[in-house]
Amino acid sequence: MKQTITEKIFSDHVGKEVSAGEIIESKIDMIIGNDITTPISIKQFERSGATKLANPDGFAIVMDHYIPTKDILSANQAKISREFAYKHDLKNYFDEKDMGIEHAILPEKGLVIPGDVIIGADSHTCT
């Protein structure tokens, strides 16, 4: 049976042919977070007792919604992400001086390419 492009990508990452509706465990090429969703994930990460990221080079934080910040709440959101990025020495952290639209900056910088499996907590991460 012919596969869709998504089935082909997941088959490549899983190491066997997969089809729509199947539950799989896949290798993830990049996890993307932004200044809105990342602080929520950071709180859960720290609550879990984890002390380091499994693959820091496969994790990117892009400050693109509230930078420059519009109020104290958004400044605190940025602060949480910024401190986490510095604490874990993230090389894929994009703040005021080098930020952009998260869905565009990663391919522009060559961090993701067609065929990669990328997850993120934003409705249009698939772009």
Side-chain angles (χ1 to χ4, degrees):
M1 179 190 312
K2 289 189 176 185
Q3 290 185 300
T4 66
I5 187 67
T6 302
E7 290 169 330
K8 290 177 182 180
I9 291 167
F10 278 116
S11 293
D12 181 57
H13 280 70
V14 172
K16 70 177 186 81
E17 189 170 305
V18 299
S19 58
E22 188 175 347
I23 296 174
I24 60 169
E25 288 186 26
S26 176
K27 177 181 144 251
I28 305 296
D29 296 299
M30 180 65 70
I31 298 169
I32 180 174
N34 61 50
D35 43 342
I36 296 173
T37 59
T38 300
I40 298 165
S41 299
I42 290 169
K43 288 176 186 174
Q44 292 304 315
F45 176 85
E46 291 173 348
R47 184 177 288 152
S48 78
T51 58
K52 66 178 192 168
L53 297 168
N55 180 15
D57 291 347
F59 183 51
I61 300 174
V62 181
M63 310 299 277
D64 78 341
H65 290 84
Y66 295 143
I67 300 295
T69 59
K70 62 185 180 86
D71 55 26
I72 297 298
L73 182 60
S74 58
N76 283 331
Q77 290 284 94
K79 182 177 184 276
I80 292 167
S81 296
R82 193 172 288 125
E83 288 174 350
F84 185 84
Y86 294 148
K87 177 180 179 179
H88 294 277
D89 196 28
L90 291 181
K91 72 177 187 178
N92 298 320
Y93 174 65
F94 304 96
D95 205 344
E96 291 177 290
K97 69 180 182 345
D98 58 0
M99 63 183 246
I101 299 169
E102 68 183 297
H103 315 290
I105 198 167
L106 297 183
E108 287 171 359
K109 294 199 175 279
L111 297 174
V112 296
I113 58 172
D116 281 354
V117 173
I118 306 157
I119 62 170
D122 197 305
S123 62
H124 39 271
T125 298
C126 58
T127 59

